[in-house]
Amino acid sequence: VPRNRQEVDRNEKVDDILRVGAHILRSEGYAGLSVQSVAAELGVARGAIYWYFRSKDELFAASAGRAIADALRHPPHTRTASSRIEWAVERLADLQPIHTALQERARYSLAVAALLAEIQEGLLGQLRNALRPHVVAARLDPVASVIFIHVQGTLSMQMAPRDRRRHLRFLLDELLGAPP
Amino acid sequence: VPRNRQEVDRNEKVDDILRVGAHILRSEGYAGLSVQSVAAELGVARGAIYWYFRSKDELFAASAGRAIADALRHPPHTRTASSRIEWAVERLADLQPIHTALQERARYSLAVAALLAEIQEGLLGQLRNALRPHVVAARLDPVASVIFIHVQGTLSMQMAPRDRRRHLRFLLDELLGAPP
DNA sequence: ACCTGAACACCGTTCAAGT
DNA sequence: ACCTGAACACCGTTCAAGT
């Protein structure tokens, strides 16, 4: 929680930077995200960005986190695990370029690696919770892992939305049993 | 096939460049591969590389293709589809950094995208052939696709070799039926 | 045909100097 | 505390000039 006016101002500026960063990431991908492009969009000098972020990769990680959080806001109130999983995959699929860039930069930046690990743990946890009522306890871990890896695979490839849905549904039916 | 001495020399030089490029990719990843680093290793000026490759991404694509071809040489003479698939995944897992860089750069370079599509089609085809004796015709396409996506997922993530093998085996058992 | 060396425009990062 | 403007080392790419 912010304690004073100064910290509020700072958070607002960080928020401005991340808004611009997330927008550039969505439209132009990692290659389009430069410290210069963000600074220019905000009308400040390149060096100003370094007052709020230690490096380009920290700026990238935070912007990517923001874009992903935006995409997963407002999940639907649906009952079956399959449909909730399918909803999340649809939303994440739009961010496929960001996802591949995260994987790539995680090799070189601890900040990016940490964000990616956090995102993956969060998603795997939610996936387990969604599956728990539908899978016997002994199968929960392997089933959740295999579905998670499948989603990871669909997000790392270019694929037609139709094929993505078909393959995901096939896997879910195989592992969870066909719906009644 | 080369027609004269000149073309032989040229092919040898291209081969030298790719040997260095593949080596840098394996040891330092995409970020370590620069036109400068390849040229320096060969003792030539930066510009010399452009006599053989039109851009850094074409150099990258060719080097990555070489590294992958090297890794998949000498497949084992084994009978079951599962063990052949597992062998290929083990080999490709070592090249995970190259794989993620290919996905990322395919967004920006037609040459990289073309190589990636070629590799993926080749692997999917081999996967189908390996599976054909073990799966009824109607299930061949979806089963092959789901396994392919799973492999793609394991290659895009950092994962302990033990977990990678366990999850792959679980999926194969689920889709193909447990081994006798 | 092949290669060099310099030039260009662009990076990420740092930092003295200002307010 | 916050920002500018210049500097530095590094890119990818191009190209006149050499052999």
Side-chain angles (χ1 to χ4, degrees):
Chain A
V1 285
R3 303 192 204 139
N4 50 39
R5 179 56 194 265
Q6 192 178 285
E7 200 165 330
V8 171
D9 284 354
R10 185 176 173 89
N11 288 343
E12 276 175 11
K13 277 172 192 170
V14 167
D15 201 65
D16 286 343
I17 294 173
L18 293 185
R19 204 190 58 247
V20 170
H23 177 256
I24 293 178
L25 273 184
R26 274 189 288 259
S27 54
E28 298 171 54
Y30 180 78
L33 181 77
S34 66
V35 177
Q36 167 63 27
S37 63
V38 172
E41 178 68 30
L42 292 170
V44 296
R46 274 207 306 272
I49 303 296
Y50 286 84
W51 192 257
Y52 301 96
F53 295 93
R54 295 152 99 81
S55 68
K56 180 192 170 170
D57 274 314
E58 294 207 2
L59 169 63
F60 165 57
S63 302
R66 158 97 178 221
I68 291 173
D70 286 352
L72 293 183
R73 247 201 281 281
H74 315 307
H77 300 79
T78 172
R79 221 175 281 98
T80 77
S82 293
S83 57
R84 264 196 288 169
I85 293 170
E86 286 167 9
W87 175 85
V89 172
E90 290 295 314
R91 300 313 310 267
L92 289 174
D94 295 333
L95 279 57
Q96 190 249 349
I98 297 179
H99 187 258
T100 61
L102 277 175
Q103 300 285 155
E104 165 67 10
R105 289 311 303 173
R107 296 276 311 165
Y108 307 102
S109 159
L110 282 177
V112 175
L115 175 85
L116 188 56
E118 187 194 318
I119 291 173
Q120 290 182 340
E121 276 166 40
L123 289 177
L124 185 55
Q126 288 185 258
L127 183 56
R128 272 208 201 86
N129 290 338
L131 289 172
R132 207 180 306 275
H134 303 81
V135 184
V136 294
R139 281 168 57 83
L140 182 59
D141 267 13
V143 166
S145 293
V146 164
I147 293 174
F148 185 74
I149 292 168
H150 179 93
V151 171
Q152 203 77 16
T154 60
L155 294 184
S156 77
M157 303 194 316
Q158 310 263 30
M159 214 188 313
R162 208 173 158 281
D163 292 336
R164 197 167 52 228
R165 284 191 291 272
R166 219 180 61 231
H167 294 136
L168 177 59
R169 209 157 290 173
F170 178 81
L171 179 67
L172 292 174
D173 287 353
E174 291 281 320
L175 295 178
L176 307 181
Chain B
V1 286
R3 305 195 200 137
N4 50 39
R5 180 56 194 264
Q6 191 178 288
E7 200 164 331
V8 171
D9 284 351
R10 185 178 173 87
N11 288 343
E12 276 176 11
K13 278 172 192 171
V14 167
D15 201 64
D16 286 342
I17 294 173
L18 293 186
R19 204 190 59 247
V20 170
H23 177 256
I24 293 178
L25 273 185
R26 274 187 289 258
S27 53
E28 299 173 53
Y30 180 78
L33 181 77
S34 66
V35 177
Q36 169 62 26
S37 63
V38 173
E41 178 69 31
L42 292 170
V44 297
R46 275 208 305 273
I49 303 296
Y50 285 84
W51 192 257
Y52 301 96
F53 295 94
R54 296 154 98 83
S55 67
K56 180 193 170 168
D57 275 314
E58 294 207 2
L59 169 63
F60 165 57
S63 301
R66 158 98 176 220
I68 291 173
D70 286 352
L72 294 182
R73 247 200 283 279
H74 315 305
H77 300 79
T78 174
R79 222 175 279 96
T80 76
S82 292
S83 57
R84 263 196 288 169
I85 293 170
E86 285 167 11
W87 175 85
V89 172
E90 289 296 313
R91 300 313 311 268
L92 289 174
D94 295 333
L95 280 57
Q96 190 248 352
I98 297 179
H99 187 259
T100 60
L102 277 174
Q103 299 287 154
E104 165 66 11
R105 290 309 305 173
R107 296 277 310 167
Y108 307 101
S109 159
L110 282 177
V112 175
L115 175 85
L116 188 56
E118 187 194 320
I119 290 172
Q120 290 183 339
E121 276 166 39
L123 289 178
L124 185 55
Q126 287 185 258
L127 183 56
R128 272 209 200 85
N129 289 338
L131 290 171
R132 206 180 308 275
H134 304 81
V135 184
V136 293
R139 281 168 56 82
L140 182 59
D141 267 13
V143 166
S145 294
V146 164
I147 293 174
F148 185 74
I149 292 168
H150 179 92
V151 172
Q152 203 77 17
T154 60
L155 294 183
S156 76
M157 303 196 314
Q158 309 264 31
M159 214 188 313
R162 209 174 157 281
D163 292 335
R164 196 168 53 229
R165 283 191 291 269
R166 217 179 62 231
H167 294 137
L168 177 59
R169 209 156 292 170
F170 178 81
L171 179 67
L172 292 174
D173 287 352
E174 290 282 319
L175 295 178
L176 307 181

